Amino acid sequence: MKDRFLSDGASDLQDILKRWKPWLPPKQIQGLQQGGLVCFDGTRKAFFHRDESTGAHADFAKALETLATSAESLKAESVKADTDT
């Protein structure tokens, strides 16, 4: 990115920024947008995180760990079901 900026000064970005106008929502509350993360194991919610503020993010390691544990449990249940029949 540094090389690109030094070579042409990011001319395409500068050109776009001349025409850019910030969008202001009709109601102030509409400008607040938070995110989150929901992971499903089939139809069951396995992991849920709601961002509390701008810049807050889910712990992806925890989400992946939860999904891995969920997958292991599902596999163990499947093996048990196979041996029971």
Side-chain angles (χ1 to χ4, degrees), residues 54-85:
T54 303
H57 303 290
D59 182 340
F60 287 108
K62 188 174 179 182
L64 291 174
E65 180 183 327
T66 301
L67 289 173
T69 301
S70 185
E72 288 172 13
S73 296
L74 185 60
K75 186 176 179 180
E77 288 173 15
S78 177
V79 169
K80 184 178 183 297
D82 288 345
T83 58
D84 288 346
T85 56

Side-chain angles (χ1 to χ4, degrees), residues 35-51 58 60 63 66-67:
L37 175 65
V38 181
C39 299
F40 292 92
D41 179 3
T43 59
R44 185 183 68 80
K45 178 179 69 177
F47 182 86
F48 179 83
H49 170 84
R50 179 178 293 143
D51 293 345
F60 287 108
T66 301
L67 289 173

